[in-house]
Amino acid sequence: MQAESVINLLKDAYRELTKAKSELEAIYENPPHGLGVAPDGVITHPEGSNAAQGDVDVLVRRSVPGGWRT
């Protein structure tokens, strides 16, 4: 019985990690207008872009697991 519980926990964790990875890839490939995401995860603000601090805040919230759903 305990083995089934552990297996279910591991399956759920795997699904959550897979989903989070997909969400992070989508953010990396399609950042908000005026912002960029470097390969190391640093949010960039290209010179001449008109992104505001609020745009950065939205991107940070989206990149935190569960953050963009709240």
Side-chain angles (χ1 to χ4, degrees):
M1 192 72 152
Q2 281 185 323
E4 284 183 30
S5 296
V6 171
I7 289 171
N8 288 336
L9 285 171
L10 291 172
K11 285 180 180 179
D12 288 345
Y14 177 78
R15 277 192 292 272
E16 287 295 317
L17 289 170
T18 301
K19 182 178 175 183
K21 179 183 176 194
S22 295
E23 291 173 354
L24 288 171
E25 286 173 345
I27 292 168
Y28 174 76
E29 292 170 1
N30 300 301
H33 179 74
L35 298 174
V37 181
D40 61 357
V42 174
I43 298 171
T44 61
H45 190 262
E47 192 172 323
S49 87
N50 60 352
Q53 181 62 42
D55 298 323
V56 174
D57 294 340
V58 168
L59 180 60
V60 170
R61 279 195 307 273
R62 283 181 57 197
S63 65
V64 175
W68 71 326
R69 291 183 209 80
T70 58

